[in-house]
Amino acid sequence: MRKLPFISLALFLCLALFGCKSSSPPAAATSQAIPPANGPRIYVTNEVSGDLTIIDAGTRKVLGTVPLGKRPRGIHPSPDGKTLYVALSGSPIAGPDVDESTLPPPDKSADGIGVFDVAQNKLVRTLHAGSDPENFDVSKDGKQIYVSNEDEAEVSIIDIASGNVIKSLKMGAQPEGVRVTPDGKLVFVTSEEDGTLTILDPAAQKIGTSFKVGHRPRSIAFLPDGSRAYVNAENDGNVVLVDPVHHKLLKEIPIGKPGIIKPMAVLLSPDATRLYVSTGRGGKVFTVDTKANTAVASVQVGKRPWGIALSPDGKTLYSANGPSNDISVVDLATNTVTATIPAGAGPWGVVVLP
């Protein structure tokens, strides 16, 4: 039998044993040259293809695609906009029609928060972030990250400088949505299974009050003064208005028929007069008037819109449409889709930077 060269043999063994799936993304080694943009840049995490699509908002053209790692989902910028943080997970993708007993075991070595340098277009490091990170938020001073660890029913506090978990705290089952209060003092975390909001005090490193907000909450949006917050209730077809100071549900805002319209992400306009709501398999993005707290408009976008983001001037909305593998561009003045931009496989989160 002819001997294979060393590199070929290594490649053969890698393919045979592991399928050559590495938890260290290729982008960590070298930066990728991206053409200059004619407008803001749109960054899209693609859960299935494991990469980041970079789009010129001015020309609506894809500038490049950068590998990240396994299952990139939640994405948030640093306060100065120079860094993007991305939740990475080695847990296999499960869906409503998937028998979870048939899935492979999770690759815990792939779990973490990827640190993407915007200027270099390069993944420069991966932070430890507990098990199966899905979403998170960044502290106002940019020193800490608060991560939901869904499979462990925990929220973890990450020190960005050291890249380590300071503390992980138990909370309600299936935590997902994470949002720092406008004053930066507290962190609110949704529990999908328990239907609650849980309050984390990051300075004291303690879990405080939990209160009911509806069935399957995933996302939180605070008014600028922190006096009110909006939370999706996916299985109720509602968005709820809550008092985060006194820990009370104030009002349920119907969005659509439960089970068909499934509110997912909630996002406030810069002046907080409008709330935008993606609806998953409902295929639409709704607009809520925050003075009347009623849904006033909707627009059909792609399949299962999840993550949504606004242009810096607040005039355009972008929705990440998972099964469509694209981004819808919505003109909010006319409430119409003006363009559809291809992304990677399974776009999940979207961020727009000036």
Side-chain angles (χ1 to χ4, degrees), residues 54 73 84-85 111 114 122 133 139 194 200 207 212 274 300 324 327 332 334 339 347:
I54 305 173
R73 289 180 286 177
L84 289 172
Y85 299 104
D111 291 351
K122 176 182 177 181
S139 65
D194 294 356
L200 164 69
I207 291 290
K212 293 284 185 178
R274 293 287 188 267
Q300 189 80 36
S324 298
I327 302 296
L332 294 172
T334 61

Side-chain angles (χ1 to χ4, degrees), residues 134-297:
E134 179 169 358
N135 218 333
F136 61 93
D137 203 2
V138 184
S139 65
K140 300 297 181 182
D141 62 7
K143 294 181 179 180
Q144 292 185 334
I145 293 175
Y146 312 107
V147 180
S148 58
N149 302 121
E150 185 172 15
D151 61 349
E152 297 289 345
E154 292 180 342
V155 57
S156 294
I157 303 172
I158 314 302
D159 176 69
I160 294 175
S162 68
N164 291 320
V165 176
I166 298 173
K167 194 166 187 178
S168 294
L169 302 119
K170 288 292 183 182
M171 57 161 291
Q174 295 186 13
E176 181 166 333
V178 184
R179 186 65 63 196
V180 177
T181 55
D183 64 9
K185 294 181 179 179
L186 297 173
V187 182
F188 281 64
V189 186
T190 68
S191 168
E192 291 181 59
E193 187 171 316
D194 294 356
T196 57
L197 276 185
T198 296
I199 303 172
L200 164 69
D201 182 337
Q205 298 181 12
K206 290 183 178 179
I207 291 290
T209 302
S210 292
F211 60 101
K212 293 284 185 178
V213 293
H215 295 93
R216 207 164 174 80
R218 292 174 177 264
S219 180
I220 311 160
F222 283 99
L223 291 179
D225 65 0
S227 64
R228 298 287 185 269
Y230 293 92
V231 182
N232 78 304
E234 179 189 346
N235 288 355
D236 300 332
N238 293 337
V239 167
V240 298
L241 177 68
V242 302
D243 179 341
V245 178
H246 299 98
H247 316 142
K248 296 190 300 184
L249 191 156
L250 300 175
K251 184 177 181 179
E252 295 179 345
I253 304 168
I255 301 298
K257 185 177 180 180
I260 296 176
I261 298 298
K262 300 174 76 69
M264 306 298 281
V266 291
L267 177 67
L268 280 163
S269 63
D271 61 5
T273 62
R274 293 287 188 267
L275 179 78
Y276 303 106
V277 186
S278 65
T279 59
R281 68 182 64 178
K284 295 180 179 181
V285 173
F286 280 75
T287 300
V288 172
D289 180 329
T290 58
K291 184 176 181 180
N293 282 314
T294 57
V296 295

